[in-house]
Amino acid sequence: MRQTDERGFALPAVIAVTTLLFTLVTFVAALAVRSHEAGRLYEERMRVKYAAETGIAKMQQEWALGQRKQDTLLDVGGVTVYVQVEEKPDNALHVVATGYGEKGVQQTISALIDQKTLAIINWIGYHGNKKTEAPMEHSKRHLVLIGMMGTGKTTIGQAIAAQVPLPWKDTDQALVAKWGCSIADFFALYGEERFREEETQMLEACLAEPSLLLTTGGGIVLREQNRQLLAERAFVVHLDAEPEEIIRRLTQTNEERPLLKGDLRQRVYDIYEARRELYRFADVRVDTTGKSIDEMATAIVRAWQDHV
Ligand SMILES: Nc1ncnc2c1ncn2[C@@H]1O[C@H](COP(=O)(O)OP(=O)(O)OP(=O)(O)O)[C@@H](O)[C@H]1O
Ligand SMILES: O=C(O)C1=C[C@@H](O)[C@@H](O)[C@H](O)C1
Ligand SMILES: [Mg+2]
């Protein structure tokens, strides 16, 4: 009887002490995990902030070399940095750099820069996870990729299509579907001028739709009329790549590109040089050299989301 009493008393006490100990250990462990996570988040914020600042410095360097002052997507040590530039009175540039890191960390820093000397007039400040002031230009309701053959418009477009709720069209693919023959065959049958006419009509039809993700043929910028239409109605991203990288990529594909027939290297260098200025009207430029398709797609989606 006594034994039963002792057991009856001991058991609840053991359970209570064990429960208390368990709760205490769990609490301390949770605190440790949380402070470790907070530390990691703090480190990530610092890394992204530093990348955004470096992004501004990189653009200052490029502008010093004569590069056009234009919005640009950069990769700074694995952090995507979107640098937006706005002309201000008194020869000043307002430059806003947003770095996008891991764990949803986003840091923005902005500065006023003297257009002539490229010196920083003053830093405007940092803010975390805050959208930059990019007023939506409602007429620019399409997302369009332009760029030289082989810069990845179609491939990156496909990856973007999986991330944004926009219908995706590719002018080359739409033309092939319309004609029922390849671009190379169309060129052989009707020549380049007729192709350009068809391309413009297709562009007009696409831009008349409510809102599209549109990937274009490399030569869409040849016609002034097309450049104007695009500048008015689309948020235009210029995919760029070094000619050597373009040559490497195009050597690995079987797709026939009529304008590259003959000496591929020479053709790529010639066309690149001839069109270099024609791509410059884009809202954003991005260098895809050495970058993966997914990382490009994610960076462009961010720039688009900033635009809308
Ligand atoms: N970032 C990249 N890294 C490595 N390879 C790539 C990259 N982007 C595209 N490629 C490859 O380069 C080739 C050409 O790409 P794609 O057809 O998308 O170019 P495009 O810009 O659409 O060319 P076009 O103007 O002729 O339509 C494909 O084989 C593609 O897989
Ligand atoms: O750069 C160009 O002129 C071209 C690029 C391709 O996308 C096709 O539109 C066609 O081969 C012509
Ligand atoms: Mg293409």
Side-chain angles (χ1 to χ4, degrees):
M1 191 66 189
R2 217 172 143 227
Q3 262 183 358
T4 316
D5 281 345
E6 269 175 4
R7 265 216 316 262
F9 169 75
L11 200 59
V14 167
I15 291 173
V17 170
T18 315
T19 312
L20 199 69
L21 272 176
F22 177 77
T23 313
L24 209 67
V25 169
T26 316
F27 179 69
V28 170
L31 268 186
V33 167
R34 218 180 294 164
S35 89
H36 179 67
E37 269 174 14
R40 298 263 308 265
L41 210 58
Y42 177 77
E43 276 172 22
E44 182 61 1
R45 275 197 211 109
M46 290 302 110
R47 187 175 83 96
V48 174
K49 211 180 256 188
Y50 178 72
E53 207 173 298
T54 309
I56 293 188
K58 276 195 171 189
M59 290 322 295
Q60 281 173 293
Q61 269 174 5
E62 292 212 358
W63 295 332
L65 296 171
Q67 180 76 249
R68 202 192 124 205
K69 297 178 180 88
Q70 153 184 50
D71 292 0
T72 307
L73 277 164
L74 297 168
D75 175 83
V76 182
V79 177
T80 299
V81 178
Y82 183 22
V83 184
Q84 293 168 286
V85 207
E86 194 192 347
E87 303 229 0
K88 290 283 184 195
D90 297 330
N91 257 319
L93 284 178
H94 182 206
V95 186
V96 182
T98 303
Y100 299 88
E102 285 164 15
K103 306 176 201 304
V105 169
Q106 187 177 322
Q107 293 285 307
T108 298
I109 177 166
S110 61
L112 268 189
I113 293 183
D114 185 307
Q115 283 231 42
K116 281 198 188 130
T117 62
L118 295 177
I120 307 257
I121 302 166
N122 68 27
W123 289 101
I124 297 172
Y126 286 109
H127 36 269
N129 287 34
K130 187 165 178 277
K131 199 172 161 177
T132 54
E133 297 160 30
M136 171 64 173
E137 293 172 64
H138 286 283
S139 59
K140 285 174 165 280
R141 59 184 197 273
H142 304 283
L143 169 57
V144 177
L145 305 189
I146 61 168
M148 174 77 185
M149 286 172 267
T151 49
K153 301 176 295 295
T154 305
T155 318
I156 293 171
Q158 187 171 19
I160 294 175
Q163 296 184 38
V164 294
L166 291 173
W168 169 43
K169 276 200 179 158
D170 182 279
T171 53
D172 284 341
Q173 289 176 0
L175 288 170
V176 167
K178 177 185 163 192
W179 306 322
C181 79
S182 73
I183 289 179
D185 288 344
F186 190 91
F187 261 70
L189 277 170
Y190 304 105
E192 181 171 354
E193 201 39 44
R194 176 88 185 270
F195 171 79
R196 297 295 169 208
E197 200 48 56
E198 292 272 323
E199 189 178 48
T200 298
Q201 280 175 22
M202 183 55 73
L203 178 67
E204 283 171 347
C206 288
L207 294 181
E209 292 194 25
S211 199
L212 275 188
L213 161 64
L214 185 65
T215 51
T216 56
I220 203 109
V221 295
L222 288 172
R223 287 191 166 189
E224 157 92 47
Q225 176 189 0
N226 296 354
R227 297 199 299 273
Q228 255 178 23
L229 267 178
L230 285 166
E232 274 165 24
R233 301 202 201 158
F235 179 70
V236 182
V237 179
H238 170 204
L239 299 190
D240 204 356
E242 285 163 14
E244 285 302 323
E245 169 113 0
I246 293 178
I247 294 162
R248 246 191 320 276
R249 290 180 194 168
L250 294 178
T251 316
Q252 286 161 10
T253 64
N254 300 321
E255 208 180 313
E256 232 187 307
R257 287 173 169 88
L259 293 181
L260 297 179
K261 268 196 200 143
D263 183 343
L264 174 72
R265 170 174 297 273
Q266 194 57 49
R267 294 295 297 141
V268 167
Y269 271 96
D270 287 350
I271 297 176
Y272 190 90
E273 209 41 51
R275 292 186 185 165
R276 182 195 280 274
E277 295 302 316
L278 300 180
Y279 293 116
R280 299 249 165 143
F281 74 94
D283 295 287
V284 182
R285 182 185 71 96
V286 53
D287 187 356
T288 67
T289 311
K291 303 285 168 2
S292 78
I293 288 150
D294 281 344
E295 90 191 284
M296 286 295 93
T298 305
I300 293 166
V301 167
R302 280 170 179 157
W304 166 252
Q305 283 166 347
D306 229 36
H307 167 73
V308 295

